[in-house]
Amino acid sequence: MSALTDIAAVKALLARHGFHFSKAMGQNFLINPSVCPRMAEACGAREDTGVLEIGPGIGVLTEQLALRAGRVVAVELDRRLLPVLAETLAPYPQVNIVSGDVLKLDLRRLIEEQFGGMPVSVCANLPYYITSPIVMKLLEERLPVDSLTVMVQKEAAQRLCARPGTREAGAVTLAVQYYAEAQILFPVSRGSFLPAPHVDSAVIRLTVRRTPPCTVRDEALLFRLIRAGFEQRRKTLLNSLSSVGRDREHIRQALHEAALPENARAEELTLTQFAALADRLGEG
Ligand code: SAM
């Protein structure tokens, strides 16, 4: 067992560095010894691959990635953790810690510079307060990564991996579907973390698609429609889509041409149906 999942050793390490958890930075560190090896295996880390980690904390997952991957680059926002990581990851020269905010970094450049063309996957226990923005940034920027194996809160996992056209689906479900195949891998109980959060978590895998699952003429319009439809998910699309700058008659006609009922709601539509609607609304 790694010392990084031994609660007494972790508390002693943090006390030695005068570290206190920051709730605002979503700091819940993994202390269940079986979770990180399982995540590292699931992300497909091998000697000839690289892994990008977001938020290494004290390096508990980073260590497991380093034991399997050829190179690991981990982006950490909290500068107070840098000396801790320098200590815990000292035995692993293949690990590079980058200090910064993952939402602000130029990740395409970082990946090019740090991995030099190796196949790269993302593996992380994500800070819960920015789960969706991180996932969407990684997908929307069409970064050269094969998959994202990430721990998120259980509810977020269900939303991200829901089947479009079901009540569990949200705008983010359809956006994720456009870029990746989403799958829940395994649940992780709240007791697996220090400090323990109020909710359980789950590890999900998003396998990045090489080509989108449907064709659409105007991608930006498709995502505007999805957002507008789900912002007022109880309303019919006929009522909720007026905010995208189309008049009611135009929307009614487009619904008709896309073979959708006039009272259709966002949560009832698949991605292909949204794409058909976007193509009709884009005309004229
Ligand atoms: N990987 C560690 C583990 O599993 O124990 C820590 C996971 S903890 C849930 C989230 C980590 O993300 C923390 O280390 C936190 O400081 C870091 N973090 C929060 N916001 C971040 C951001 N915008 N960019 C990079 N790291 C961030």
Side-chain angles (χ1 to χ4, degrees):
M1 187 176 85
S2 161
L4 298 179
T5 52
D6 174 334
I7 300 188
V10 170
K11 284 187 172 164
L13 170 78
L14 296 178
R16 200 151 30 78
H17 285 272
F19 179 86
H20 297 282
F21 290 97
S22 156
K23 218 175 167 181
M25 280 192 264
Q27 291 176 343
N28 300 96
F29 296 167
L30 271 163
I31 38 137
N32 177 335
S34 68
V35 176
C36 292
R38 222 171 146 189
M39 285 181 75
E41 284 295 319
C43 82
R46 287 189 323 259
E47 243 171 61
D48 56 347
T49 67
V51 182
L52 173 66
E53 188 190 357
I54 293 144
I58 60 169
V60 64
L61 175 59
T62 327
E63 179 177 51
Q64 294 303 319
L65 295 170
L67 291 169
R68 294 167 176 79
R71 183 154 178 79
V72 180
V73 176
V75 177
E76 176 55 62
L77 175 67
D78 189 347
R79 299 182 71 86
R80 300 172 307 152
L81 287 166
L82 301 181
V84 183
L85 288 163
E87 181 180 324
T88 58
L89 299 174
Y92 306 103
Q94 67 278 43
V95 175
N96 187 18
I97 303 294
V98 174
S99 171
D101 180 342
V102 71
L103 292 179
K104 294 189 183 146
L105 284 176
D106 180 345
L107 292 179
R108 180 170 295 279
R109 205 164 116 200
L110 182 115
I111 290 171
E112 269 167 27
E113 284 173 2
Q114 299 277 341
F115 294 105
M118 285 173 135
V120 177
S121 63
V122 173
C123 189
N125 172 14
L126 292 178
Y128 72 92
Y129 71 107
I130 41 171
T131 298
S132 293
I134 294 178
V135 167
M136 289 321 298
K137 175 177 162 116
L138 292 166
L139 294 175
E140 278 171 354
E141 291 187 4
R142 292 195 157 94
L143 299 171
V145 299
D146 296 328
S147 63
L148 282 57
T149 303
V150 290
M151 168 106 64
V152 298
Q153 289 193 339
K154 191 172 142 199
E155 210 177 80
Q158 285 163 345
R159 182 54 58 96
L160 289 165
C161 301
R163 210 153 42 84
T166 64
R167 299 196 84 181
E168 293 72 37
V172 78
T173 313
L174 280 98
V176 162
Q177 273 285 322
Y178 189 75
Y179 296 106
E181 278 178 64
Q183 182 189 5
I184 296 184
L185 294 185
F186 56 91
V188 179
S189 70
R190 63 194 79 182
S192 301
F193 302 89
L194 181 75
H198 296 300
V199 293
D200 294 323
S201 294
V203 175
I204 64 170
R205 178 163 51 217
L206 307 179
T207 308
V208 177
R209 296 182 195 274
R210 295 283 147 246
T211 49
C214 62
T215 49
V216 64
R217 277 195 287 279
D218 183 347
E219 254 181 28
L221 176 61
L222 169 66
F223 291 119
R224 280 212 311 282
L225 288 187
I226 291 174
R227 265 198 307 275
F230 279 99
E231 246 162 44
Q232 298 171 294
R233 60 187 297 154
R234 282 176 205 285
K235 289 195 177 174
T236 63
L237 290 166
L238 193 55
N239 287 323
S240 60
L241 294 189
S242 49
S243 64
V244 294
R246 303 292 190 278
D247 66 45
R248 214 177 150 78
E249 255 336 286
H250 192 173
I251 299 169
R252 196 193 305 274
Q253 170 107 21
L255 284 165
H256 179 70
E257 285 172 14
L260 291 166
E262 246 184 50
N263 61 354
R265 293 169 211 276
E267 63 190 24
E268 294 161 358
L269 264 60
T270 62
L271 195 52
T272 309
Q273 288 172 321
F274 260 113
L277 191 58
D279 280 351
R280 299 313 185 290
L281 281 173
E283 288 165 359

